[in-house]
Every structure is written in structure tokens, then in C-alpha cells.
Amino acid sequence: MVRVRFAPSPTGPLHIGGVRTALYNYLFARQNGGKMILRIEDTDQTRFVPGAEQYIIEALDWLGIKFDEGVHIGGPYGPYRQSDRKAMYRQYAEQLIRDGWAYYAFDKPEALEAKRKEYEAQKKTFQYDCNTRLQMENSLSLGMEETQRRIVAGEPYVVRFQFPDNIDITVHDMIRGDVTMNSRLLDDKVLFKSDGMPTYHLANIVDDHTMEITHVIRGEEWLPSAPLHVMLYKAFGWEAPQFAHLPLLLKPEGNGKLSKRDGDRLGFPVFPLEWHDPKSGEISSGYREKGYLPEAVVNMLALMGWNPGTEQEIMSMDELIKLFNVEHISKNGAKFNLDKAKWFQHEYFQKLSDEAVADMLEVQMKEHGVEADHAYVVKVAGMMKERITFPGELWETCCYFFQAPTEYNEKDVAKRWTPDMHIHMSKVIEILNTVPFEYDAIHKALLDDYIAANGLNTGKVMNSLRIAVVGRTVGPDMITLVMMLGKDETISRIQKAIDKLKTE
Ligand code: GLU
């Protein structure tokens, strides 16, 4: 039985890279008929941010990434928040000490800092490891008696992992193959802190084991920690899960990890939902609030670091579940591409029904104090949908279907509305008043019998008509638009434009 987990730390809003990690876990779980678990890793109380956990849950729910067990829904392996599991970690730290895999360390922050400085002065980097640990204040250098005395006296301590000297540790990674590191390069990481809390490393391994996690799928930034994790499994005598470290999401330029600052600089969100920082009050934009559809975000993220092995780009969640495979996850970082994000959004917007788009448009019409027959709005929505990427563009793009222009684009007027144009527009009114109000009849009367027959410039006359009806030279097929607006409204708009633009 496949069991995977998404294990974020509630230190702020969930980065879009974290969302991708959650998504890949979800796809893998669903494809294998397994379980998807949400575990909150909040052992570092200093980095805890109120509201972050709720944000993570809401964001993943919006995207349709569902869980079988987790902090918000419970399950047979709970609790699913590490601070609620606090009592269980100490015994594991003690077990490691008993078995010679860990030791107590009493070094004060100042002593560690002094050591670092001392090394720096010699142009070296201090690392707490097999070469240096005996120079430090710990149970290995002090002996058990002195260690016991200090613990009883209430001296603060941490528990550190004791790497065996000079062994090669191999991590089998499903994406990268074997990654081997020598233990001499690794520092004796703190596993348990004086505040009675485990660190990420200990809690993560204990939880993955006790929650029977079979596959650990997480960001590449955790690869350097993987040898320690492999050793911890060995030290406990537990079977390690399989690891897959996902490639980083890179800046659009490709150099370095995608950060919040890149989003601010280039104007795109790096968070799924808008985030209000509880301390600074700063607001960071979110995909949801920008009007992105969750399906578009999911599809875009799925392809950032993975491909189905074909040219197919548009895939629903169900298709992704079918097609996903770890073999096609790239080893290289994936560059964020804003144009591509918008392309996906546009594609998914087109999949919305005319009714759904009309509903969105009606909300915006209300804000502008405009009402119209629902069937008419649906028709407008259907006609204009292909020009829309974000719902926020709806009113601006469609407003002239509901109200006459109040001003006329200066550039367009200068280019098209020649001094004699009021004469032609009066003629257009006359034509509309006399021919049957049908597409073909209007088309023939206007373009053949008037414009062509009099040797007029079609672009100039038709675009001036557009200026009169729309306010600028944009919009759908002109005669279709006239048919939509109806005879009276069209004529009234042309007359208004004649009055306004004649003297100018
Ligand atoms: N708490 C870690 C994070 O915030 C989880 C890393 C892991 O999945 O092992 O990314």
C-alpha cells in the first residue's frame, strides 16, 4: 500500500514550489491507489506563523489536491501535527544515545560561535563532526558521569547524531539514481533540543516510520539531508522509504530558485492564494485572487519538472493521475514561464460554459450598476470568451454591449474620423433605418451599395462606425455587433458620436 505525505512547515504562505510537491505526491498516491497524508511540521516554534496552517489547507483544497488523512481530517495515524506528537520523540532520541548513534552536547551558543570564529581566522569552516566533536563539550568528551551530573543540575543540552567516521552513505533516489556522500562531509546534526522538541530531522523520520510512509517525494533542497535520514533509518533498524527529490522551480531567467521577490519584480504570484502577513501587514498576491482557475494552475505546475512523454499539454487532474510517472520527472530545475502560465489560464477559461462566464460578467455588471437580460449576457459571454484570459478583463472587454461609449479614443479618432465622416455616418443611420434589419441586408447595403459604390475607404468608414458604437477600434465583427445591439441603440450611438465628433 502506497502512503505518501505532504509535510509543510507553517512558516508562512505555501510557495508555489511547495504546491507542486503536494501535487506530485497526490498524483502518485492516486495513481497507485494509495493514501495521501497532510502532516504539519511545526517543531521549530521560533518560525511558527499564525494562519499559515489554515492557509496551506485552504490553498490545496482550492486546487483540488485532496487528502485521505491529515491534520484537518484526522485518521488512524494521528495526531498529524508534530507539536501534538511532542511527547513521543524523546524516547527515540534516548534510544539512539543508548545504541551509540547519538550523544548529549552542552555547548553554549557563544562557545559554538567562538569556535566558528577561530576556524574562520584560519580560513577554514567549522563543522561539528567526527573530527571536532571531541574538542567540544558533550557526553563523548566529558564522560557519562559528568554528563549525568549536568543533566541532573538542569544544564541545557541538545542531542546530536553521531556519524560513523569515513563511511560512504548512499541514497537511492527514484529521480537521480544513487547519490553517495562520505560521512566526513556531514555534520553531527542536532536531533533534539533543550526545549524538549525534536528537530525536523528526528521528527520527520520518526513520523514517516510510524505513519508507514512508503515514498518520500519532496523538494531538491532536502537532498543534502537525505544521507542523515538514511542513516537514521539504519540506526533505528527501520526500513527506509523510497526517496524522490524534485527539481527546483527556477526564476524565469533560469538562474536560481524562484523567490517571492521575482514575483514582485515581474508581476506574477508565487503563492496560490493571497497572503496577508500577520506581522508586517504586507499583502502578497495569489493565483486565486488574480483570477487564475485552479485547473490551469494544476496543469501548469504538473508540467514544471515533468512531462507525459508526448507533446500533450492540456491535462485534467484525472488525466494527470493516469499519465503521471516518476521516470519522466526531470533532474534539472524548471524555469517559471509567465507567458505559459497565462496560456494555460486562457485555455482553461475557454473550457468554461457561456453560462459560467455570464455569471462572472453579471457580478461585474452589478458593480457598474448595469443590468441586462440574462440570455443576452450569455450570448455576449459566448462571443467574447475567446478574447478573455482573466475574469477581471470581462467588464472592460464587454462593457460596450451594455452601455454606449462616453468617450472616444483620441488616437483612433485622429486616424479614422476624417472631417467628412459625419456625412457618411448620417448615411449609415439612413441605411439602417431603411434596409431590413438582417445581417446580409445590412452588410450589402453598407459595404457594397454605399462604401464600394462610392469608392470610399472601407477601413475608414467601418472603423469610424466602430468608434461610434464601441468608443475605439476594437470588438467583434461590426455587423454582428450592430445586430446584437439592435437598430435603435446603434442609431442612437452613431448620432451621439456625430454630435460629439463633428465640431472637433
Ligand atoms: N517540513 C519540511 C518542509 O517544510 C518537509 C520536508 C520533507 O518533506 O521531508 O519542506
Side-chain angles (χ1 to χ4, degrees):
M1 165 65 113
V2 163
R3 289 176 58 82
V4 296
R5 84 300 193 274
F6 180 54
S9 298
T11 54
L14 184 57
H15 185 274
I16 200 77
V19 175
R20 190 200 52 178
T21 299
L23 174 64
Y24 283 18
N25 273 283
Y26 176 72
L27 296 176
F28 187 77
R30 283 290 171 273
Q31 181 172 71
N32 291 287
K35 298 272 188 246
M36 167 80 166
I37 293 130
L38 177 61
R39 181 172 76 222
I40 295 293
E41 300 207 323
D42 60 346
T43 54
D44 189 350
Q45 299 286 304
T46 58
R47 295 184 63 216
F48 177 81
V49 174
E53 181 181 311
Q54 209 38 52
Y55 176 99
I56 292 165
I57 293 168
E58 196 183 329
L60 297 175
D61 186 56
W62 175 64
L63 290 160
I65 297 171
K66 306 255 180 286
F67 291 90
D68 302 295
E69 299 167 28
V71 69
H72 54 317
I73 46 174
Y77 294 78
Y80 293 92
R81 189 184 294 108
Q82 287 183 331
S83 55
D84 295 337
R85 301 167 69 81
K86 184 176 169 184
M88 67 181 284
Y89 300 112
R90 184 183 291 272
Q91 52 173 312
Y92 290 105
E94 282 168 358
Q95 181 185 333
L96 290 176
I97 295 170
R98 256 197 332 268
D99 295 348
W101 285 103
Y103 56 90
Y104 295 105
F106 300 95
D107 315 271
K108 302 209 166 38
E110 311 83 66
L112 287 169
E113 190 49 37
K115 247 312 177 242
R116 262 181 227 121
K117 289 248 164 71
E118 184 190 315
Y119 271 67
E120 248 169 52
Q122 301 168 40
K123 303 234 176 309
K124 289 195 282 190
T125 309
F126 173 69
Q127 182 167 279
Y128 208 123
D129 61 16
C130 53
N131 295 313
T132 59
R133 59 171 86 106
L134 285 176
Q135 307 162 23
M136 309 301 290
E137 275 184 69
N138 52 50
S139 48
L140 302 176
S141 62
L142 300 169
M144 230 30 204
E145 212 172 296
E146 172 63 6
T147 301
Q148 278 312 323
R149 190 195 65 72
R150 289 190 183 202
I151 291 173
V152 172
E155 247 187 64
Y157 63 83
V158 298
V159 175
R160 284 181 182 273
F161 189 69
Q162 185 176 347
F163 270 110
D165 185 13
N166 197 19
I167 57 160
D168 280 336
I169 305 163
T170 298
V171 180
H172 302 287
D173 187 274
M174 292 165 78
I175 299 166
R176 279 147 229 279
D178 284 356
V179 180
T180 301
M181 215 181 263
N182 190 277
S183 62
R184 287 206 167 159
L185 297 169
L186 300 164
D187 64 327
D188 290 351
K189 277 269 182 303
V190 173
L191 300 177
F192 198 81
K193 295 171 289 178
S194 45
D195 64 2
M197 278 293 236
T199 60
Y200 155 73
H201 301 291
L202 180 66
N204 187 270
I205 268 55
V206 167
D207 287 351
D208 280 350
H209 174 71
T210 54
M211 293 182 180
E212 296 183 27
I213 299 301
T214 57
H215 297 77
V216 167
I217 303 170
R218 61 184 174 189
E220 187 184 308
E221 62 273 29
W222 298 104
L223 188 58
S225 301
L228 168 64
H229 297 173
V230 165
M231 284 307 286
L232 278 167
Y233 282 104
K234 196 174 159 148
F236 282 120
W238 297 334
E239 194 190 330
Q242 297 212 51
F243 291 101
H245 289 90
L246 306 175
L248 293 176
L249 291 195
L250 304 175
K251 296 176 191 300
E253 305 89 346
N255 50 345
K257 206 172 146 182
L258 182 69
S259 73
K260 179 170 130 26
R261 249 173 288 136
D262 299 314
D264 296 342
R265 182 169 56 90
L266 300 165
F268 63 88
V270 293
F271 302 120
L273 316 179
E274 194 169 272
W275 168 253
H276 297 242
D277 190 279
K279 263 201 214 121
S280 67
E282 190 196 350
I283 297 175
S284 304
S285 69
Y287 280 86
R288 183 178 64 182
E289 288 72 12
K290 283 259 182 191
Y292 279 87
L293 295 163
E295 296 83 1
V297 178
V298 162
N299 198 153
M300 164 192 89
L301 282 177
L303 286 172
M304 288 190 68
W306 171 83
N307 68 77
T310 63
E311 295 297 303
Q312 188 181 356
E313 290 193 283
I314 297 293
M315 282 165 276
S316 67
M317 190 71 103
D318 284 345
E319 277 176 286
L320 287 169
I321 290 169
K322 275 199 209 99
L323 295 169
F324 188 73
N325 56 358
V326 176
E327 298 78 63
H328 280 140
I329 296 177
S330 156
K331 289 188 189 67
N332 308 319
K335 271 188 235 170
F336 183 86
N337 181 338
L338 182 56
D339 291 335
K340 200 76 202 180
K342 286 187 184 158
W343 180 81
F344 276 112
Q345 167 66 12
H346 184 262
E347 290 292 311
Y348 276 89
F349 197 87
Q350 304 316 306
K351 288 178 187 281
L352 295 176
S353 67
D354 297 353
E355 274 286 343
V357 176
D359 289 347
M360 292 176 180
L361 178 52
E362 273 166 348
V363 173
Q364 295 173 28
M365 286 164 61
K366 217 174 186 171
E367 284 163 14
H368 288 86
V370 171
E371 266 178 57
D373 178 51
H374 181 66
Y376 178 73
V377 182
V378 173
K379 214 168 158 196
V380 171
M383 259 178 84
M384 300 304 283
K385 202 162 73 172
E386 63 177 2
R387 293 160 195 255
I388 307 281
T389 300
F390 296 102
E393 298 159 5
L394 273 167
W395 170 252
E396 183 63 22
T397 312
C398 304
C399 58
Y400 52 83
F401 282 94
F402 308 100
Q403 59 185 23
T406 47
E407 50 194 41
Y408 304 96
N409 181 282
E410 272 178 40
K411 267 202 197 131
D412 293 341
V413 171
K415 191 161 167 215
R416 306 290 190 179
W417 195 283
T418 42
D420 61 341
M421 194 51 75
H422 62 279
I423 300 166
H424 303 307
M425 287 302 124
S426 298
K427 189 71 196 168
V428 173
I429 292 180
E430 203 185 303
I431 293 168
L432 291 176
N433 265 326
T434 46
V435 301
F437 202 72
E438 287 157 11
Y439 188 97
D440 292 341
I442 298 174
H443 191 280
K444 181 175 178 298
L446 220 56
L447 283 119
D448 302 342
D449 302 346
Y450 183 63
I451 296 175
N454 291 294
L456 302 174
N457 180 325
T458 312
K460 271 208 178 116
V461 178
M462 290 309 280
N463 275 301
S464 292
L465 176 57
R466 201 177 274 287
I467 289 169
V469 172
V470 175
R472 59 207 147 103
T473 51
V474 297
D477 172 66
M478 197 55 226
I479 314 261
T480 307
L481 180 56
V482 167
M483 300 293 298
M484 285 279 285
L485 292 173
K487 186 157 112 181
D488 295 347
E489 177 64 17
T490 306
I491 289 174
S492 131
R493 288 188 188 189
I494 301 171
Q495 191 56 57
K496 206 171 138 197
I498 292 173
D499 297 344
K500 232 183 143 197
L501 296 173
K502 193 158 70 175
T503 49
E504 282 167 17

